[in-house]
Coordinates of all heavy atoms in Angstrom, one line a residue:
Chain F
N227 N 104.0 31.7 49.3 CA 103.0 32.8 49.0 C 103.8 34.1 48.5 O 104.9 34.1 48.4 CB 102.1 33.1 50.2 CG 102.8 33.9 51.4 OD1 103.8 34.6 51.2 ND2 102.4 33.9 52.4
P228 N 102.9 35.0 48.2 CA 103.6 36.2 47.4 C 104.4 37.0 48.4 O 105.3 37.8 47.8 CB 102.4 37.1 47.2 CG 101.2 36.1 46.9 CD 101.4 35.0 47.9
L229 N 104.4 36.8 49.7 CA 105.5 37.3 50.6 C 106.7 36.5 50.7 O 107.6 36.9 51.4 CB 104.9 37.6 52.0 CG 103.6 38.4 52.0 CD1 103.1 38.4 53.5 CD2 103.9 40.0 51.6
G230 N 106.6 35.4 50.0 CA 107.9 34.5 50.1 C 107.8 33.5 51.2 O 108.8 32.8 51.3
V231 N 106.7 33.6 52.0 CA 106.7 32.7 53.1 C 106.2 31.3 52.9 O 105.4 31.1 51.9 CB 105.5 33.3 54.2 CG1 105.6 32.4 55.4 CG2 106.0 34.7 54.5
Q232 N 106.9 30.3 53.3 CA 106.7 28.8 52.8 C 105.9 28.0 53.7 O 105.9 28.1 55.0 CB 108.1 28.2 52.9 CG 109.0 28.9 51.9 CD 110.4 28.3 52.1 OE1 111.2 28.8 52.9 NE2 110.9 27.2 51.4
M233 N 105.1 27.2 53.1 CA 104.2 26.3 53.9 C 104.6 24.9 53.4 O 104.9 24.6 52.3 CB 102.7 26.5 53.6 CG 102.5 28.0 54.1 SD 100.7 28.4 53.7 CE 99.8 27.4 54.8
G234 N 104.5 23.9 54.2 CA 104.6 22.5 54.0 C 103.3 21.8 53.5 O 102.2 22.4 53.7
E235 N 103.4 20.6 53.0 CA 102.2 20.0 52.6 C 101.4 19.3 53.7 O 102.1 18.7 54.5 CB 102.6 18.9 51.5 CG 101.5 18.1 50.9 CD 102.1 17.2 49.9 OE1 102.9 17.4 49.1 OE2 101.6 15.9 49.8
C236 N 100.1 19.4 53.7 CA 99.3 18.9 54.8 C 99.5 17.3 55.0 O 99.6 16.7 53.8 CB 97.9 19.2 54.7 SG 96.8 18.5 55.7
T237 N 99.7 16.8 56.1 CA 99.9 15.4 56.3 C 98.4 14.7 56.7 O 98.6 13.6 57.0 CB 100.7 15.1 57.5 OG1 100.3 15.8 58.7 CG2 102.2 15.7 57.1
Y238 N 97.5 15.5 56.7 CA 96.1 14.9 57.1 C 96.1 14.2 58.3 O 95.6 13.1 58.6 CB 95.8 13.8 56.0 CG 95.6 14.3 54.6 CD1 96.7 14.5 53.8 CD2 94.5 14.8 53.9 CE1 96.7 15.2 52.4 CE2 94.3 15.3 52.8 CZ 95.4 15.5 52.0 OH 95.5 16.0 50.7
C239 N 96.7 14.8 59.4 CA 96.8 14.3 60.7 C 95.5 14.3 61.5 O 95.4 13.7 62.5 CB 98.0 14.9 61.5 SG 97.5 16.6 62.3
G240 N 94.6 15.2 61.0 CA 93.3 15.3 61.6 C 93.3 16.1 63.0 O 92.3 15.9 63.6
F241 N 94.3 16.9 63.2 CA 94.2 17.8 64.4 C 94.2 19.2 63.9 O 95.3 19.9 64.1 CB 95.3 17.4 65.4 CG 95.1 16.2 66.0 CD1 95.3 14.8 65.4 CD2 94.7 16.2 67.3 CE1 95.0 13.7 66.0 CE2 94.5 14.9 67.9 CZ 94.7 13.7 67.4
C242 N 93.2 19.8 63.4 CA 93.2 21.1 62.9 C 92.4 22.0 63.9 O 92.9 23.0 64.5 CB 92.5 21.1 61.5 SG 93.6 21.1 60.2
E243 N 91.0 21.9 64.0 CA 90.3 22.6 64.7 C 90.6 22.3 66.2 O 90.5 21.3 66.6 CB 88.8 22.5 64.4 CG 87.8 23.5 65.1 CD 86.4 23.4 64.7 OE1 86.0 22.1 64.5 OE2 85.7 24.4 64.5
W244 N 91.0 23.5 66.9 CA 91.1 23.6 68.3 C 92.7 23.4 68.5 O 93.2 23.6 69.5 CB 90.5 22.5 69.3 CG 89.1 22.3 69.0 CD1 88.4 21.2 69.0 CD2 88.1 23.3 69.1 NE1 87.0 21.3 68.8 CE2 86.7 22.7 68.9 CE3 88.2 24.8 69.1 CZ2 85.8 23.4 69.0 CZ3 87.1 25.5 69.1 CH2 85.8 24.8 68.9
F245 N 93.3 23.1 67.4 CA 94.9 23.0 67.5 C 95.5 23.9 66.6 O 95.1 24.3 65.6 CB 95.3 21.6 67.0 CG 94.5 20.5 67.7 CD1 93.2 20.2 67.4 CD2 95.0 19.9 69.0 CE1 92.5 19.1 68.0 CE2 94.3 18.9 69.6 CZ 92.9 18.5 69.1
G246 N 96.8 24.3 66.9 CA 97.8 24.9 66.1 C 98.3 23.9 65.1 O 98.3 22.7 65.5
C247 N 98.7 24.2 64.0 CA 99.4 23.3 63.0 C 100.9 23.2 63.2 O 101.6 24.2 63.2 CB 99.0 23.7 61.7 SG 99.7 22.6 60.4
G248 N 101.4 22.0 63.5 CA 102.8 21.9 63.7 C 103.6 21.7 62.5 O 104.8 21.5 62.4

Side-chain angles (χ1 to χ4, degrees):
Chain F
N227 76 15
L229 300 177
V231 181
Q232 295 167 275
M233 298 175 74
E235 182 177 319
C236 177
T237 60
Y238 302 82
C239 79
F241 287 76
C242 272
E243 191 175 34
W244 311 134
F245 305 86
C247 178

